[in-house]
Amino acid sequence: MTHLSPSEFADALDGTLRPECAAHLETCAGCRAQADAAAEALARASRVEIPDPSPLFWDHLSARVRDAIASERPHAPGRFAWSWLRPVTLALMAALATLAIALTLPRGRPPVAPPAGVDAGASPSRGAAPRAAAGPGSEIVSGGDEAWDLLSEAVSEVGLEEAHAAGLTVRPGEIDRAVLDMTPVERAALGRLLRQELKRAGA
Amino acid sequence: MSTHVWIGAVPPEWKVTVTGAATDAREQPPLDASDDAALVAACLAGRRDAFDVIVERHRRHVYRLCYRFVGNHEDASDLAQDVFVRAYRGLRGFKGQSSIGTWLYRIAVNVSLNKVASKTPPQEPIAESAAAPFEHPAEALMRDERAEQVRAAIARLPRKQRATLILRIYHELPHEQIAGILGSSVGAVKANFFHALGNLRKLLRDA
C-alpha cells in the first residue's frame, strides 16, 4: 500500500480512515509521524479561545443591521407597489416607442401625433408640434400635462427584460387601444392613481 | 399570494390585476418558528422582520468567524454587520442550493479575507482555553503568549488554508460544508486542512 494522501491524513484526524489505510498507518512510521504532527498542531490550535462580547452586544448588532438595511430598498413592497402598473407602463413604453419611431420615420409618411392632450398648451397644432419639438435625440415635451409626465417617468423605470421576466407580453393592438385612445380625463385619473401609489411606496 | 382587482379608478374597459404577496398582518405566519427557507421567502415578500430573525439566528456564528480573521471586536462587529447587509442586498440571488448558514459563512469568509488583505487589523489579546481557577500569573502569561503565537501563525497561512482551518477547528463544520463555502471539492478541503496543520506546526516551531 502507498503512503497516505493529504486527504487521508485528514480522515485519520477525523477517525474516518478506511480500514486498509488505517492498517497502513499502524505499520508505516513515516505516515505515523506525519499524522501525529498534524494531531499535535490541531490540538494546539483548538485550545485558542476568543473572548465573548458583552451579552448586550448581540441585540446591538441586530439593531445596527436593522438600521443599515432600513435605507435599503425593500424586496417585495416595491415590486408589489409597481406590479399593477406594469401593464400600463408596458403599454406606455410601447406608445413612446411608437412615437419615437414615428418621429424618425422617413419623409413622406404622415407625422404621428402623441396621445390627445400630450402637447396641450404647447401648440395649437397637435400633429406638428411634437415633431418640431422632438427631433432625433431630443426628449418629447409634455407641454405641462402632469399625468403624462408621471406616466413617462414610470415608463422610464421599467426595462423590457424586467417586463418579459414578469411574464408580460405586449400585443400592439391592445396597447394602441389602451394608451393612444386615452382621453385627457382618463390620463388624469390614472395620474392621480399613480401619484397615490408612488406616495404609498415612498417613491 | 393574493390577487387584487382595481375597479373604478381606471377606464371601464380596463381590468388591472395585481398578483403579489399578501401584506395583510392577519395572514402573516409567525416567524420565530419558521425555518430559514421560509424566512428568506418572507423577506422576499417584503417582511423585513423576517430578516431580523435570520440575523438573530446566525449573528453569533458570523461574528465569531469574522473575529477569527481580524482578531478584534470592533472590526469583527463591523464585518458582521457588513455580512448581513450584503446578504440582505443579495437575498434575491440566493437560490437555496445551500443553507442560508452556509451562504452567510461564504460571505463572511470573503469580507473577512478582503479586510485582512487590505490592512492588518489590530489584534486583541486572546487566551488558550481551560485556564485553571487559581492560575499563577506567570502561567497565565505563558498561556496567553502561546495563544498569540498560534493566532499569528494562523494569520500567516495561505488564504484557503486559513479559512479551512478556522471553519474546521473553530466552527467544527464538516468538510462537505466547508467545500460549499469555499467553492472547493471535499478532497481539496481535506488536503488543505492537512497542509494547513503542517504549515501551522512549522510556523509555531519557528516562532
Side-chain angles (χ1 to χ4, degrees):
Chain A
M1 156 118 203
T2 55
H3 295 299
L4 298 190
S5 67
S7 174
E8 287 165 340
F9 277 116
D11 287 339
L13 291 169
D14 289 346
T16 57
L17 197 59
R18 287 181 290 122
E20 60 270 29
C21 295
H24 171 80
L25 194 59
E26 289 294 319
T27 57
C28 176
C31 286
R32 185 78 250 163
Q34 286 192 72
D36 288 347
E40 184 197 327
L42 175 61
R44 192 162 170 192
S46 300
R47 286 198 293 269
V48 178
E49 293 288 343
I50 57 173
D52 263 331
S54 153
L56 300 174
F57 167 70
W58 302 115
D59 285 341
H60 176 64
L61 176 62
S62 285
R64 282 178 59 181
V65 172
R66 202 177 303 121
D67 289 346
I69 66 171
S71 58
E72 300 281 327
R73 209 169 125 195
H75 283 291
R79 178 181 257 200
F80 178 79
W82 283 96
S83 59
W84 73 272
L85 291 174
R86 290 188 178 192
V88 177
T89 50
L90 263 181
L92 288 166
M93 241 165 51
L96 287 177
T98 306
L99 278 174
I101 292 165
L103 291 170
T104 54
L105 277 177
R107 285 189 306 272
R109 303 193 80 177
V112 178
V118 166
D119 59 344
S123 166
S125 169
R126 271 187 191 167
R131 189 178 181 88
S138 67
E139 291 182 355
I140 295 171
V141 179
S142 70
D145 187 329
E146 283 183 23
W148 182 258
D149 287 342
L150 200 57
L151 295 174
S152 301
E153 193 180 335
V155 166
S156 69
E157 293 193 12
V158 177
L160 277 170
E161 286 180 5
E162 189 185 4
H164 182 73
L168 296 169
T169 54
V170 180
R171 280 175 288 186
E174 287 187 4
I175 290 161
D176 290 343
R177 185 175 59 81
V179 179
L180 297 177
D181 290 346
M182 280 171 72
T183 66
V185 174
E186 286 168 342
R187 273 202 309 282
L190 188 56
R192 276 197 303 277
L193 208 55
L194 273 166
R195 270 190 292 275
Q196 285 169 9
E197 282 300 314
L198 286 170
K199 194 181 285 182
R200 207 175 64 178
Chain B
M1 298 284 275
S2 66
T3 299
H4 302 267
V5 177
W6 266 262
I7 50 170
V10 294
E13 69 271 21
W14 288 23
K15 182 184 174 189
V16 182
T17 303
V18 177
T19 302
T23 54
D24 189 337
R26 288 167 301 182
E27 297 174 27
Q28 294 175 350
L31 292 170
D32 288 344
S34 304
D35 62 17
D36 281 350
L39 290 173
V40 170
C43 283
L44 292 176
R47 293 191 64 180
R48 276 191 165 141
D49 52 342
F51 197 74
D52 287 344
V53 180
I54 291 175
V55 173
E56 194 178 333
R57 280 186 191 171
H58 297 279
R59 63 193 177 189
R60 187 175 293 270
H61 292 307
V62 168
Y63 167 83
R64 292 180 71 84
L65 178 58
C66 294
Y67 194 105
R68 287 288 179 186
F69 281 95
V70 295
N72 72 81
H73 172 72
E74 192 180 341
D75 283 330
S77 55
D78 285 349
L79 286 177
Q81 177 186 331
D82 191 23
V83 168
F84 285 114
V85 171
R86 284 167 187 258
Y88 183 80
R89 286 180 189 150
L91 209 55
R92 199 169 291 286
F94 175 65
K95 302 296 180 196
Q97 289 165 338
S98 61
S99 71
I100 193 154
T102 297
W103 186 57
L104 289 169
Y105 270 129
R106 188 181 306 147
I107 299 171
V109 167
N110 287 335
V111 299
S112 299
L113 285 173
N114 286 341
K115 171 75 178 177
V116 294
S118 63
K119 175 186 130 186
T120 305
Q123 309 283 300
E124 289 170 353
I126 53 173
E128 279 189 343
S129 60
F134 303 107
E135 190 179 35
H136 192 278
E139 287 174 4
L141 201 63
M142 282 185 64
R143 183 168 50 80
D144 290 351
E145 197 175 309
R146 284 195 300 269
E148 186 49 45
Q149 285 174 351
V150 171
R151 188 172 64 180
I154 291 173
R156 292 176 62 190
L157 292 174
R159 289 163 61 102
K160 270 211 170 169
Q161 287 184 20
R162 185 180 184 187
T164 303
L165 189 136
I166 288 172
L167 291 167
R168 180 73 188 136
I169 297 180
Y170 302 118
H171 290 263
E172 299 179 346
L173 299 185
H175 295 297
E176 290 75 13
Q177 191 176 357
I178 297 172
I181 292 166
L182 301 180
S184 306
S185 67
V186 175
V189 167
K190 287 180 178 179
N192 257 331
F193 183 53
F194 176 70
H195 290 311
L197 291 172
N199 287 331
L200 182 67
R201 188 165 178 270
K202 279 183 206 157
L203 290 164
L204 289 172
R205 197 176 51 204
D206 298 342

